[in-house]
Amino acid sequence: MLKHYITARRAAVAVWLSALLTSVLLTACSTNPSTQQAHYLAPIPAAKLERAAALETQGKSADAAALYLNLASKVSAPARTQLQLNAARAYLNAGQTAAAQQTLDAIAAPSQLPAVQQALLQLTQADLALLDDRPQDAIALLKRLTVSALSPEQQRQRLGSLAAAQRLSHQPLAAAKTLSVLNQQLDDPNARLLNQVSLISTLNQLSDAELQNIVHDGDVRLKGWAEIAQLVRDAGDNLAGLPSTYRQWRQTHPRHAALPGLARAYVATLSGGYAPGAQVTIMLPRSGYFAAAAKAIRAGITAAYQADDPQQRPTLTFVDSTQDNRLLAIHAKAIADGVDYVIGPLQKSAVDDLAAQRMLTVPTLALNETTQIDKRADNLFQFSLSPENEAAEIANKAYARGLRQALLLYPNDAWGERLAQAFLQKWGALGGVMRGQARYATAEPNAAPLGKLLDDNAADLLFLVRRHQKQRVNFIPAFILLRRRH
């Protein structure tokens, strides 16, 4: 899904820029947002803009952003501002959030921009907040901007970003409603099909009771979609019969907007798979500190490979990356051998080396997170189940359940401090209130700090960080959420 999302976003930007170039020929006095944005770019040579659009289409978004900024340095507002906005959006498509933020910060007098540029600025700020894991900020920006000041394509982008932010904020019902509205605005059949798959997937985040409520008494605009989600849920793990069941449903709902291929697309998306002949290199250490974790990851990848349809299995090549200082050479050799995808590395220092590169020519899924927050190479994706991420996710889920007054208890060591800070940062960003916090000694824990915290009768959440006593490695935490009513 991530690959499809990034491809779709890059294609959307290319289409938008093409529309801008075409509309330069139209009258400048029109209030159409696309025409107005194109009018701002009138002083820029069309060949330069076409070059930037081509770079984005080729997946070289960072290079396109650099070209936009170079052009911006030679002109004044409003052309300069429009080019800066284009550059910021290109940086976002490249995953370079720090560069995008720096570009937005350089825009002069943002509060005095014309309505069209003001709306595009807020849309870009919202997408930046989304990529920075601040979905609540993204929602606020997207709901505040003037929708009529966006082009039709940008309006669709806004709805897509809003749905993504709502899902990240654990608001699946709100996200489903947004995707339903977006479905009505999409003309391209492939885009509509992808959106409908996302809509059904989003509804399936609801509980059985919530889904049944929509089917029987909920929003009439979601009723049909909820019925399809119910078909998926009833199918369980056996999705082979879903297309047939779905065809029967469509025969009784001929006017519903759901496309004929929705069930098959949903099953295909769920099952995944690779194109015939795809080659994947997996870089994992065979010895050293991460060897045990690497062995478990290899077993998981092999099991998934065996479970795939034989016609969709890639060619897997496992490469020893124990010597992380040779990582770049190993990665380069895999590309020279014609690999289509790379999984790994696992070591954080090796991920740092990859992140420092400007561009990776094949999609690479790192199995850890870089420490270089301001560096992110194009085509590098990071996957990590770090304790800090889990702490932030607990804050998200607790806030989504309506909890607002939190207590925090954590061990008095560096590990406990990291997790506590991750929770505090996310809780504060969401708008939650900290009623109190305390540390406990890891060597001789006792109930005194907990008892003192629980004297606060206004609190409705206790976030407790502790170690698993049977676990030898010290980075696996356990979390307990308590809800109290007085």
Side-chain angles (χ1 to χ4, degrees):
M1 286 297 292
L2 178 60
K3 177 184 175 184
H4 293 312
Y5 171 77
I6 292 173
T7 301
R9 288 301 296 255
R10 286 174 175 166
V13 172
V15 171
W16 170 51
L17 283 173
S18 178
L20 289 183
L21 293 173
T22 302
S23 61
V24 168
L25 302 175
L26 303 178
T27 174
C29 62
S30 171
T31 58
N32 179 278
S34 295
T35 304
Q36 194 65 32
Q37 292 169 13
H39 174 61
Y40 295 147
L41 293 176
I44 311 301
K48 297 288 188 180
L49 294 175
E50 289 172 353
R51 173 59 180 159
L55 287 171
E56 294 201 76
T57 302
Q58 297 165 14
K60 301 177 180 179
S61 297
D63 291 339
L67 178 54
Y68 285 133
L69 291 180
N70 178 265
L71 294 171
S73 67
K74 302 173 183 178
V75 294
S76 58
R80 178 188 180 94
T81 305
Q82 191 65 45
L83 288 165
Q84 289 172 312
L85 290 169
N86 290 357
R89 297 197 67 76
Y91 275 132
L92 288 182
N93 282 301
Q96 298 185 15
T97 54
Q101 183 64 69
Q102 183 178 5
T103 302
L104 293 180
D105 290 342
I107 293 177
S111 62
Q112 300 176 22
L113 295 179
V116 169
Q117 291 186 337
Q118 182 70 242
L120 183 56
L121 172 62
Q122 290 178 310
L123 178 63
T124 308
Q125 290 172 328
D127 286 341
L128 178 60
L130 193 56
L131 290 177
D132 279 344
D133 194 25
R134 293 183 286 114
Q136 294 287 347
D137 291 344
I139 291 172
L141 283 163
L142 292 167
K143 288 187 174 181
R144 190 167 67 235
L145 64 78
T146 304
V147 177
S148 60
L150 296 174
S151 70
E153 177 60 25
Q154 291 163 359
Q155 291 180 25
R156 291 190 284 270
Q157 290 176 11
R158 171 189 170 274
L159 289 171
S161 296
L162 179 58
Q166 289 166 331
R167 284 187 60 157
L168 287 175
S169 296
H170 304 283
Q171 303 175 42
L173 182 56
K177 291 179 179 178
T178 301
L179 291 171
S180 178
V181 175
L182 175 58
N183 186 70
Q184 299 172 8
Q185 299 187 16
L186 292 171
D187 298 322
D188 180 72
N190 291 329
R192 288 187 68 197
L193 188 60
L194 183 62
N195 182 71
Q196 291 181 10
V197 169
S198 182
L199 174 52
I200 301 305
S201 175
T202 300
L203 284 171
N204 267 315
Q205 292 184 353
L206 299 173
S207 66
D208 289 339
E210 291 171 324
L211 198 56
Q212 284 291 337
N213 181 63
I214 298 174
V215 170
H216 296 297
D217 304 308
D219 190 329
V220 66
R221 293 169 296 181
L222 288 181
K223 183 179 186 299
W225 300 114
E227 289 178 359
I228 299 172
Q230 189 67 64
L231 293 178
V232 173
R233 188 163 298 184
D234 291 343
D237 294 332
N238 183 20
L239 292 174
L242 180 61
S244 176
T245 306
Y246 175 68
R247 281 196 301 270
Q248 296 174 14
W249 181 88
R250 287 195 77 246
Q251 289 175 359
T252 60
H253 300 77
R255 300 181 63 182
H256 194 271
L259 295 171
L262 174 55
R264 291 192 180 279
Y266 186 90
V267 173
T269 300
L270 209 62
S271 61
Y274 291 82
Q279 299 184 52
V280 181
T281 291
I282 301 103
M283 302 185 296
L284 293 171
R286 294 178 183 170
S287 60
Y289 183 79
F290 290 98
K295 184 178 180 180
I297 293 171
R298 177 168 182 155
I301 291 174
T302 303
Y305 173 85
Q306 295 295 337
D308 274 345
D309 185 322
Q311 295 182 347
Q312 294 181 312
R313 290 176 182 169
T315 299
L316 301 183
T317 303
F318 290 89
V319 179
D320 183 9
S321 63
T322 303
Q323 296 180 323
D324 54 6
N325 61 341
R326 295 189 59 247
L327 183 279
L328 294 180
I330 295 172
H331 191 274
K333 184 179 185 305
I335 295 173
D337 291 342
V339 71
D340 298 293
Y341 305 95
V342 174
I343 299 176
L346 182 58
Q347 305 96 312
K348 190 176 285 288
S349 59
V351 179
D352 284 346
D353 290 340
L354 280 182
Q357 304 304 301
R358 185 175 183 183
M359 172 73 181
L360 303 181
T361 55
V362 300
T364 301
L365 176 63
L367 300 175
N368 211 325
E369 291 182 331
T370 178
T371 61
Q372 308 298 321
I373 300 176
D374 60 337
K375 295 180 180 179
R376 187 180 301 176
D378 281 2
N379 253 353
L380 176 64
F381 309 101
Q382 301 173 66
F383 176 79
S384 174
L385 298 177
S386 70
E388 291 88 344
N389 287 346
E390 293 186 41
E393 184 62 13
I394 288 292
N396 276 327
K397 290 185 177 180
Y399 196 88
R401 294 178 187 177
L403 305 175
R404 295 294 184 269
Q405 311 287 328
L407 301 171
L408 172 61
L409 181 62
Y410 58 97
N412 187 22
D413 57 21
W415 174 80
E417 182 69 27
R418 291 203 316 271
L419 269 65
Q421 288 303 315
F423 178 83
L424 288 169
Q425 182 178 6
K426 175 57 67 174
W427 191 247
L430 292 170
V433 176
M434 285 303 305
R435 301 290 306 185
Q437 55 181 295
R439 300 180 179 89
Y440 63 88
T442 55
E444 299 179 2
N446 60 74
L450 176 60
K452 186 175 181 180
L453 278 178
L454 293 180
D455 286 340
D456 189 336
N457 291 332
D460 56 13
L461 163 69
L462 169 65
F463 179 57
L464 173 62
V465 181
R466 67 177 179 87
R467 300 182 187 278
H468 196 300
Q469 297 301 320
K470 295 182 180 181
Q471 186 60 248
R472 292 180 62 188
V473 286
N474 67 2
F475 54 79
I476 298 183
F479 301 101
I480 298 176
L481 281 172
L482 299 177
R483 180 143 191 179
R484 303 172 57 196
R485 290 297 182 213
H486 305 284

